[in-house]
């Protein structure tokens, strides 16, 4: 059994209970190339596990005629090693709580491209796609980092500065590539398009719009684009819908690989790329999923509401996103990641069996988050939180790890916790009663030492500000007593927490908890028990 168009007709797939595309993949591929409707940027696992599967279900039901084209602008090895050798097919292994497995061959991805002007043929093809009148939407899952064109000091990155000087011909930065392609669409008659950020951050559409406009304004000042192009980006012909996406999609798991290989599927070995991306011809994910999108598509859209997507107004999308990111899921994930690494866990679901960690995330969600979250009505915050704790995070069939979730924590704290703190300030609630949030903050400082609760070293997960913070804490050891002066440069940094912890009166409690966590081996466990039980 091979992941190839030529092998899909084999009866073995059905014998082994694989769900195959229920449409003519060759016909769909041809129609898509001639008249593309959906281009996605970011070829990672959540795209294949969620978005490509949405379009496959529309194709299966006869509600669409075209598939999706995907382009990758950060890690080209994904395309070279996990897409093109397999005719862009992949297997979605849907992992259910009862340990049953849905095995779905995804055939809706008809073309994969490297989004880089160095690959001239691929970039020329992207220009053709961007100028197609049929193109309705360009969606993105490029992570929070993909939207950054400046460093923490507010200085443009070198690749961005190079793009400003060199213009449209060979853009290097991710945003530069997108703006250059939008120029192509503008030059074909200011064709309408929706640019849909599906990245896991609040007000994602606004962030995408802001950075694209800032970049385009720099090009306009340099004379590379006209003021008419700026007007096009701000017109009704170009929309930046907000969205909320939620589906746990861990790295490819060896147990899942073994199950698929036992069926006879060939060449499934995962790859770790040079840029540390974990990718394979299969993707494993939880069964549950949520996607809400602001219904603002100036050139039309796929019938996504027919396959469970919530299409609504911007305010409601923002409320749903805020509910998830600041209260019901993401803060819990970060807390489990930090303390899971410190306590030696290697699986998120195992942490849910730990009474202290379960108490921590319940206090974080129910006691400290729900009182200030806005109810979006379409989804109940309490029901969503119940499902996260009782069904999703506890699913031991999901091979997710605290080490994966701990990636880029410095980029996440301001949104996942800082927004809740701002809500406390706005509503006049007393923050001095908070326990879980300052404990998580202290836990992250303790995590940055790279020493677990038994005194053993462990590897810290990748983070763009990792070196900066570990150097500030390098002299702190187990048994140290840390003063406010030592921690002030970090705790006062609002770019980390979303607020200055000293100004809001929370820094002292973080310092107190940090010293408790530092006291000795076993102090992380004893501090948890003391604080949350």
């Amino acid at each position: 059994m091979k992941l190839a168009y030529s092998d899909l007709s084999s009866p073995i797939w059905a014998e082994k209970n694989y769900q195959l595309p229920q449409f003519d993949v060759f016909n769909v591929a041809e129609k898509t190339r001639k008249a593309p409707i959906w281009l996605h940027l970011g070829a990672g696992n959540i795209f294949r596990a969620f978005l490509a599967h949405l379009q496959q279900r529309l194709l299966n039901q006869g509600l669409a005629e075209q598939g999706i084209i995907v382009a990758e602008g950060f890690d080209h090895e994904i395309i070279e090693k996990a897409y093109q050798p397999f005719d862009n097919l992949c297997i979605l292994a849907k992992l259910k709580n009862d340990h049953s497995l849905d095995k779905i061959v995804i055939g809706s991805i008809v073309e994969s491209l490297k989004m880089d002007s160095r690959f001239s043929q691929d970039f020329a093809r992207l220009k053709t796609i961007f100028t197609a009148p049929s193109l309705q939407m360009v969606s993105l899952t490029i992570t929070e980092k993909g939207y950054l064109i400046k460093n923490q000091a507010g200085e443009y990155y070198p690749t961005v500065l190079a793009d400003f000087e060199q213009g449209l011909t060979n853009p290097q930065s991710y945003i530069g590539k997108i703006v250059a392609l939008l120029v192509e669409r503008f030059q074909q008659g200011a064709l309408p398009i929706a640019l849909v950020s599906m990245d896991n951050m609040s007000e994602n559409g606004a962030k995408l719009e802001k950075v694209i406009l800032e970049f385009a304004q720099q090009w306009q000042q340099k004379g590379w684009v006209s003021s008419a192009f700026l007007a096009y980006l701000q017109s009704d012909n170009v929309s930046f819908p907000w969205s909320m996406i939620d589906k746990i999609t861990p790295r490819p798991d060896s147990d899942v690989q073994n199950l698929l290989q036992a069926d006879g599927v060939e060449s499934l070995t995962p790859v770790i790329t040079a840029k540390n991306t974990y990718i394979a011809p299969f993707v494993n994910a939880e069964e549950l999923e949520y996607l809400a999108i602001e219904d603002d598509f100036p050139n039309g859209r796929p019938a996504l509401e027919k396959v469970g997507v919530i299409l609504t107004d911007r305010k409601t999308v923002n409320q749903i996103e805020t509910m998830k990111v600041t209260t019901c899921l993401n803060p819990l994930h970060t807390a489990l990641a930090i303390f899971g690494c410190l306590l030696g866990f290697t699986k998120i679901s195992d942490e849910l069996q730990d009474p202290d960690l379960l108490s921590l995330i319940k206090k974080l969600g129910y006691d400290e988050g729900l009182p200030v979250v806005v109810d979006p009505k379409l989804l109940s915050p309490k029901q969503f939180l119940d499902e996260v704790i009782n069904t999703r995070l506890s699913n031991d069939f999901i091979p997710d790890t605290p080490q994966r979730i701990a990636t880029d924590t410095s980029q996440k704290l301001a949104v996942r916790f800082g927004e809740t703190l701002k809500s406390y300030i706005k509503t006049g609630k007393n923050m001095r009663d908070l326990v879980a949030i300052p404990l998580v903050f202290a836990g992250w400082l303790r995590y940055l030492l790279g020493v677990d609760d038994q005194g053993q070293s462990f590897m810290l997960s990748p983070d763009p500000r990792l070196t900066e913070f570990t150097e500030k804490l390098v002299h702190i050891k187990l048994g140290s007593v840390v003063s406010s002066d030592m921690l002030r440069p970090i705790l006062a940094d609002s770019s980390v927490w979303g607020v200055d912890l000293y100004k809001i009166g929370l820094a002292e409690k973080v310092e107190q908890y940090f010293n408790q966590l530092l006291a000795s081996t076993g102090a992380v466990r004893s501090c948890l028990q003391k604080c949350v039980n």
Side-chain angles (χ1 to χ4, degrees), residues 342-486:
L342 289 171
L343 294 174
F345 285 92
T346 57
K347 199 170 180 182
I348 291 288
S349 59
D350 288 344
E351 293 188 66
L352 271 289
Q353 306 306 312
D354 184 295
D356 301 324
L357 294 176
L358 183 60
S359 294
L360 172 65
I361 62 170
K362 283 184 174 181
K363 182 176 285 293
L364 191 58
Y366 293 111
D367 297 348
E368 298 184 3
L370 283 185
V372 292
V373 76
V374 175
D375 186 349
K377 306 302 180 185
L378 291 179
L379 288 173
S380 159
K382 184 180 182 301
Q383 183 178 336
F384 193 96
L385 183 57
D386 289 343
E387 192 175 70
V388 164
I389 293 175
N390 300 325
T391 303
R392 299 178 65 189
L393 297 181
S394 58
N395 182 355
D396 62 358
F397 204 20
I398 299 292
D400 212 356
T401 69
Q403 291 73 26
R404 181 186 81 90
I405 303 300
T407 300
D408 299 338
T409 299
S410 72
Q411 309 295 291
K412 300 171 179 176
L413 294 166
V415 173
R416 298 186 178 191
F417 300 92
E419 293 305 311
T420 294
L421 296 178
K422 290 175 186 176
S423 295
Y424 269 79
I425 296 168
K426 183 177 179 180
T427 57
K429 291 186 179 296
N430 184 8
M431 282 189 292
R432 298 187 183 281
D433 295 333
L434 293 176
V435 172
I437 292 176
L439 183 58
V440 172
F441 290 174
W444 183 59
L445 298 179
R446 174 66 178 79
Y447 162 89
L448 288 170
L449 303 186
V451 177
D452 68 18
D453 200 29
Q454 300 305 311
Q456 302 298 312
S457 297
F458 66 88
M459 183 178 295
L460 297 173
S461 299
D463 189 311
R465 300 184 71 181
L466 191 61
T467 301
E468 172 189 350
F469 292 122
T470 53
E471 287 179 352
K472 289 178 179 177
L473 300 171
V474 69
H475 298 298
I476 298 174
K477 310 294 181 186
L478 285 186
S480 298
V481 177
V482 182
S483 67
S484 294
D485 291 341
M486 294 175 69

Side-chain angles (χ1 to χ4, degrees), residues 12-36:
I12 302 177
W13 291 102
E15 291 172 10
K16 296 292 185 178
N17 297 314
Y18 284 78
Q19 300 174 30
L20 294 175
Q22 297 167 33
F23 50 88
D24 185 330
V25 291
F26 295 100
N27 185 44
V28 165
E30 183 64 21
K31 287 184 176 180
T32 306
R33 290 189 182 97
K34 288 181 177 178

